[in-house]
Amino acid sequence: MLFFTQCFGAVLDLIHLRFQHYKAKRVFSAAGQLVCVVNPTHSLKYAPTLCAAAQTSTEQGILPPCHHHEAVHDPQLVPCVCPLFSCPWEGHLEVVVSHLRQTHHINILQGAEIVFLATDMHLPAPTDWIIMHSCLGHQFLLVLRKQEKYEGHPQFFATMMLIGTPTQADNFTYRLELNRNQRRLKWEATPRSVLECVDSVISDGDCLVLNTSLAQLFSDNGSLAIGIAITTSKVHNSKAEM
């Protein structure tokens, strides 16, 4: 009976996942966008960490140490950039993508425009939804986090980070768009480099921020679809419009 129960539960999870993917494809197929269903993962960190971002070290492509990492002594090595884990890994920037895929099993999706479908938005904070996006010859890390910035008031934070240096990140503009029930919310900005630490970006609020009621307004049966587009640009501007 235990074996049957476990197998039956796994089958139900698979059916639910395929149903979510079918729903998203039905909604966005007309736009020719790829859809990626992303399941939530609870962060294994004990507490959110803040990066003391020193501008001089950032410009040189060196990661300012987070509280959960020791200082980087070799300027050629950077710590793991996955925001879910306090991972002791260090390596060169060019192998960060391989580390994220092989060690943390983060999926990567290719395409100029994709749809990030985050499931189970009702789960308690802190919760993360993460995927990598390959576009224009570079890899980007999209992070959606549910976090209580004030006790009892969870918010959703979505940001796009380039797996590259801050100088390279300045060459791109990313757009996050929510569109449902004749309502549209759009955020455009220059992506930040993963060398600047995801936690500090979210702490500063330099990203798309949704309170619970606004997230529910754009969600469908507990899932939130975010359209993602990346373009090359030298313009440094960010805006949110509705």
Side-chain angles (χ1 to χ4, degrees):
M1 288 296 294
L2 180 62
F3 176 77
F4 174 78
T5 303
Q6 291 177 340
C7 290
F8 185 69
V11 171
L12 286 180
D13 290 341
L14 180 60
I15 293 175
H16 174 72
L17 183 64
R18 290 182 63 88
F19 175 71
Q20 293 286 353
H21 187 265
Y22 169 76
K23 261 198 323 183
K25 286 187 68 176
R26 184 182 60 186
V27 173
F28 294 100
S29 59
Q33 295 174 312
L34 297 174
V35 178
C36 184
V37 179
V38 184
N39 293 320
T41 305
H42 286 283
S43 177
L44 298 182
K45 293 180 180 179
Y46 292 103
T49 58
L50 300 178
C51 289
Q55 183 176 2
T56 54
S57 60
T58 301
E59 291 175 350
Q60 296 173 358
I62 306 173
L63 174 64
C66 296
H67 295 305
H68 63 282
H69 287 298
E70 295 181 356
V72 179
H73 301 291
D74 187 345
Q76 300 299 320
L77 299 179
V78 296
C80 174
V81 299
C82 182
L84 291 174
F85 307 96
S86 296
C87 178
W89 179 88
E90 288 184 340
H92 293 277
L93 188 60
E94 350 19 298
V95 296
V96 167
V97 173
S98 298
H99 170 73
L100 293 176
R101 297 193 68 180
Q102 296 174 8
T103 303
H104 301 300
H105 307 291
I106 296 178
N107 294 325
I108 186 168
L109 195 64
Q110 299 184 3
E113 295 187 11
I114 65 174
V115 175
F116 179 94
L117 184 65
T119 66
D120 301 320
M121 304 293 295
H122 61 278
L123 291 177
T127 304
D128 289 291
W129 295 259
I130 299 177
I131 195 174
M132 285 189 290
H133 181 193
S134 179
C135 181
L136 300 175
H138 289 77
Q139 284 73 41
F140 300 82
L141 188 70
L142 177 68
V143 178
L144 173 65
R145 175 173 299 173
K146 185 178 184 180
Q147 178 175 305
E148 287 189 358
K149 203 163 186 180
Y150 306 100
E151 186 175 357
H153 298 280
Q155 293 178 301
F156 293 89
F157 303 85
T159 186
M160 182 74 76
M161 311 285 289
L162 173 72
I163 302 178
T165 66
T167 301
Q168 292 173 321
D170 287 341
N171 295 324
F172 299 95
T173 296
Y174 75 94
R175 183 180 75 246
L176 304 179
E177 184 172 332
L178 291 84
N179 193 346
R180 186 172 182 269
N181 292 338
Q182 298 181 340
R183 297 177 178 87
R184 177 175 296 180
L185 180 64
K186 183 188 298 183
W187 167 268
E188 291 184 2
T190 299
R192 303 280 285 272
S193 166
V194 292
L195 299 176
E196 301 179 54
C197 189
V198 175
D199 293 329
S200 63
V201 176
I202 292 177
S203 177
D204 295 340
D206 186 16
C207 55
L208 174 63
V209 182
L210 305 172
N211 58 31
T212 304
S213 60
L214 193 58
Q216 290 176 347
L217 191 64
F218 285 96
S219 65
D220 181 17
N221 292 326
S223 297
L224 186 68
I226 304 177
I228 306 168
I230 301 176
T231 56
T232 56
S233 175
K234 285 286 188 180
V235 180
H236 300 276
N237 68 323
S238 62
K239 61 181 179 180
E241 64 182 22
M242 188 171 183

